[in-house]
């Protein structure tokens, strides 16, 4: 995304979607801290604390980051700090949330509800919290646009490390450690947004239903991301990103050509390039199954096949309830948010259509239990595109 688009509201809104809104918000200066609370099946970003810069790339004028996590490298977003203008810090905490077992739910609820709910102070700026299992930053994330400094960072890092030391059996310990990290982020803000994606609780990879197992395997081969060496130099990282960008640009151009003409002459041309040979097999398979393949959609599916698959875990009712209880325990210990946003993610088939209403009802009940009376606006009933 062009960095300057962030300051053109109408242009920005036309480009934003559920998977790409966080980096523009950070670049605009609204948030500087994010906590992503995720379920076990959403593993797009490495567990732990990530501190990096978001800014305007001086060569492309687009938004880029200094993070070397594979999530950003595979999208070709990495640049060194000296290539960024208008740098904004981002402190990202990635924390696993496990479901609460039914047998321990009441005991943990009693333990957590016994503490008083802290309040936000009124000294500083805004914070955001989100829950989802897709990525840009999936499951649950908290952002505080002003919280910086070594002391806070050390505290948060210590807490993330102590999370790992909590035994799997001691679920209450894990939840309390999560709460402490969240509170440390929120303590300097006077407002925050809680953003929840219902596919946190149950999620499908819709592309696995659109394409056959063999077609999906070909997409994974075509779009596979070659990870850099563990101890890559800056030059090695830049080479990795350059190769990845060229790979994605070639695939985008190829599918654009197929949109114009997918005849045998076009396929013969692709077959002359070793890296594109699997594409010929893919097109033949698609054309055997459908009259007019949607090649733009195929390319979008391919973009999700890099170093890991999209999360795919249709939860049982017991699993949903277990995650609901864990979220409830956390929310009851943090200050009341200024705004709560909820994405159903059902029209794009990420949250299973047969489960989304049940999950939504449970989430709303948790919010009422944690924060009291709600003023609920069901935008999706007024606008079927939501």
């Amino acid at each position: 995304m062009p960095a300057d688009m962030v300051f053109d509201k109408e242009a920005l809104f036309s480009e934003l979607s559920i998977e790409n809104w966080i980096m523009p918000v950070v670049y605009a200066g609204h948030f500087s801290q994010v906590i992503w609370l995720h379920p076990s099946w959403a593993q797009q970003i490495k567990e732990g604390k990530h501190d990096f810069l978001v800014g305007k790339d001086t060569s492309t004028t687009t938004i880029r980051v200094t993070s070397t996590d594979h999530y950003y490298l595979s999208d070709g977003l990495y640049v060194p700090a000296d290539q960024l203008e208008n740098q904004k810090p981002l402190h990202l905490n990635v924390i696993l949330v496990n479901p609460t077992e039914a047998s321990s739910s009441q005991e943990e609820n009693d333990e957590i509800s016994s503490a008083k709910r802290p309040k936000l102070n009124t000294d500083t700026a805004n914070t955001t919290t989100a829950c989802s299992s897709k990525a840009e930053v999936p499951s649950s994330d908290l952002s505080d646009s002003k919280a910086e400094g070594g002391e806070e960072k050390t505290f948060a890092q210590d807490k993330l490390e102590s999370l790992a030391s909590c035994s799997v059996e001691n679920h209450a310990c894990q939840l309390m450690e999560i709460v402490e990290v969240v509170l440390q982020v929120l303590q300097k803000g006077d407002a925050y947004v809680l953003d929840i994606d219902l596919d946190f609780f149950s999620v499908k990879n819709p592309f696995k239903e659109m394409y056959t197992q063999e077609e999906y395997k070909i997409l994974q081969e075509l779009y596979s991301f070659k990870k850099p060496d563990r101890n890559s130099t800056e030059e090695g990282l830049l080479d990795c990103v350059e190769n990845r960008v060229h790979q994605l640009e070639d695939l985008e151009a190829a599918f654009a050509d197929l949109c114009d003409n997918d005849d045998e002459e076009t396929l013969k041309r692709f077959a002359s390039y070793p890296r594109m040979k699997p594409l010929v097999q893919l097109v033949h398979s698609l054309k055997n199954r459908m009259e007019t393949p949607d090649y733009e959609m195929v390319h979008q599916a391919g973009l999700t096949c890099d170093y890991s698959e999209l999360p795919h875990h249709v939860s049982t009712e017991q699993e949903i309830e277990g995650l609901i209880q864990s979220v409830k325990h956390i929310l009851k210990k943090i200050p009341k948010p200024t705004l709560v946003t909820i994405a159903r993610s059902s029209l794009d088939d990420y949250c299973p259509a047969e489960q989304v209403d049940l999950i939504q009802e449970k989430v709303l009940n948790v919010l009422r239990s944690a924060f009291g009376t709600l003023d609920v606006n069901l935008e999706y009933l007024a606008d079927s595109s939501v």
Side-chain angles (χ1 to χ4, degrees), residues 52-159:
F52 55 95
L53 300 172
V54 180
K56 179 179 179 179
D57 183 0
T58 55
S59 61
T60 65
T61 71
T62 54
I63 296 176
R64 292 290 184 265
V65 303
T66 60
S67 173
T68 58
D69 188 87
H70 293 151
Y71 179 79
Y72 298 105
L73 290 174
S74 67
D75 278 348
L77 294 178
Y78 166 79
V79 296
D82 58 12
Q83 276 187 230
L84 286 182
E85 294 179 341
N86 194 23
Q87 298 176 357
K88 301 294 171 58
L90 176 59
H91 309 291
L92 168 63
N93 293 285
V94 180
I95 303 175
L96 171 67
V97 177
N98 287 309
T100 297
E101 297 294 333
S103 59
S104 61
S105 177
Q106 184 58 48
E107 178 183 345
E108 291 172 9
N109 188 57
D110 292 343
E111 183 176 339
I112 287 175
S113 62
S114 65
K116 293 182 179 179
R117 182 192 302 279
K119 295 182 179 180
L120 295 169
N121 70 41
T122 57
D123 294 336
T124 51
N126 295 342
T127 299
T128 297
T129 308
C131 293
S132 150
S133 52
K134 297 189 291 293
E136 166 166 347
V137 176
S139 291
S140 174
D141 96 278
L142 300 170
S143 321
D144 180 354
S145 62
K146 303 299 178 185
E148 296 181 54
E151 190 172 335
E152 285 78 12
K153 175 182 175 183
T154 301
F155 175 91
Q157 190 64 54
D158 287 346
K159 287 302 174 186

Side-chain angles (χ1 to χ4, degrees), residues 74-299:
S74 67
D75 278 348
L77 294 178
Y78 166 79
V79 296
D82 58 12
Q83 276 187 230
L84 286 182
E85 294 179 341
N86 194 23
Q87 298 176 357
K88 301 294 171 58
L90 176 59
H91 309 291
L92 168 63
N93 293 285
V94 180
I95 303 175
L96 171 67
V97 177
N98 287 309
T100 297
E101 297 294 333
S103 59
S104 61
S105 177
Q106 184 58 48
E107 178 183 345
E108 291 172 9
N109 188 57
D110 292 343
E111 183 176 339
I112 287 175
S113 62
S114 65
K116 293 182 179 179
R117 182 192 302 279
K119 295 182 179 180
L120 295 169
N121 70 41
T122 57
D123 294 336
T124 51
N126 295 342
T127 299
T128 297
T129 308
C131 293
S132 150
S133 52
K134 297 189 291 293
E136 166 166 347
V137 176
S139 291
S140 174
D141 96 278
L142 300 170
S143 321
D144 180 354
S145 62
K146 303 299 178 185
E148 296 181 54
E151 190 172 335
E152 285 78 12
K153 175 182 175 183
T154 301
F155 175 91
Q157 190 64 54
D158 287 346
K159 287 302 174 186
L160 288 172
E161 290 172 358
S162 64
L163 267 172
S165 69
C166 285
S167 67
V168 174
E169 292 79 11
N170 194 348
H171 187 58
C173 169
Q174 293 178 327
L175 291 175
M176 293 305 295
E177 294 286 1
I178 291 172
V179 168
E180 287 193 57
V181 173
V182 172
L183 290 176
Q184 184 65 17
V185 172
L186 294 181
Q187 70 174 356
K188 290 190 175 183
D190 63 353
Y192 78 97
V193 177
L194 172 64
D195 180 62
I196 302 172
D197 195 322
L198 299 187
D199 69 5
F200 170 86
F201 301 94
S202 183
V203 65
K204 292 195 302 183
N205 177 349
F207 299 118
K208 285 194 168 183
E209 295 184 351
M210 292 184 190
Y211 307 111
T212 67
Q213 186 174 354
E214 184 61 31
E215 289 165 354
Y216 196 77
K217 184 178 179 180
I218 294 172
L219 283 174
Q220 290 177 313
E221 179 182 354
L222 284 168
Y223 287 83
S224 176
F225 169 61
K226 185 178 179 181
K227 299 177 182 178
D229 295 335
R230 183 179 297 272
N231 297 315
S232 285
T233 62
E234 182 178 296
E235 182 180 1
L237 292 171
L238 288 172
D239 286 343
C240 169
V241 168
E242 183 178 9
N243 291 335
R244 180 60 172 173
V245 169
H246 287 323
Q247 176 190 7
L248 296 181
E249 287 177 345
D250 289 346
L251 287 164
E252 182 179 16
F255 279 105
D257 287 347
L258 289 170
C259 288
D260 293 334
N261 193 339
D262 62 355
D263 63 11
E264 286 302 317
E265 285 300 316
T266 302
L267 297 182
K268 285 181 182 178
R269 178 161 53 85
F270 290 151
S272 65
Y273 301 99
R275 282 176 53 181
M276 290 294 182
K277 282 186 178 180
L279 181 57
V280 178
Q281 181 184 352
L282 175 62
V283 172
H284 283 149
S285 178
L286 292 170
K287 292 177 73 172
N288 284 337
R289 292 197 304 110
M290 55 191 78
E291 185 176 346
T292 308
D294 184 346
Y295 292 115
E296 289 185 8
M297 181 63 73
V298 178
H299 177 54

Side-chain angles (χ1 to χ4, degrees), residues 359-372:
I359 295 172
Q360 177 176 305
E361 181 181 1
K362 287 178 177 289
V363 168
L364 289 175
N365 286 338
V366 164
L367 292 172
R368 292 186 183 99
S369 173
F371 304 127

